Amino acid sequence: MRHNFIGMVISTAMKKTVRVQVAKRVMNHHVQKEVVRHRVYMAHDSLEKCNVGDVVRIEHCRKISRHKNFAVAEVIKAAMTWTDPETGKVHL
């Protein structure tokens, strides 16, 4: 079975690569409180369809490069965007 994670795209600065932040809830037994831990994965995006703010599912695959072991399987929710009517520029 392959590892699947759901996370948010935080960077698309590289070609065919996105950085995805995955949140994980763990219990801090010292204070009996649930805390959120984050881990950042690099994932292969061959179609370059992801934008910053998208919620995506990443799937474990063969090693693509030194840091990339995951590929984007699907975009679950696209980021909210709006177009400025005066300039025509798209904002996130």
Side-chain angles (χ1 to χ4, degrees), residues 8-13 18-19 49-55 77-81 91-92:
M8 183 180 290
V9 176
I10 58 172
S11 174
T12 59
V18 293
R19 293 182 71 208
K49 60 183 176 182
C50 295
N51 294 315
V52 175
D54 289 352
V55 177
K77 182 180 175 189
M80 299 285 284
T81 59
H91 299 279
L92 295 176

Side-chain angles (χ1 to χ4, degrees), residues 14 16 23 32 40 44 55 57 62 65 73 81 85 87:
M14 298 162 277
K16 297 189 177 184
Q32 298 298 315
V40 176
H44 185 66
V55 177
R57 182 173 64 87
R62 67 176 180 82
S65 68
T81 59
T87 61

Side-chain angles (χ1 to χ4, degrees), residues 81-92:
T81 59
W82 60 278
T83 306
D84 189 3
E86 294 177 2
T87 61
K89 193 173 184 180
V90 177
H91 299 279
L92 295 176

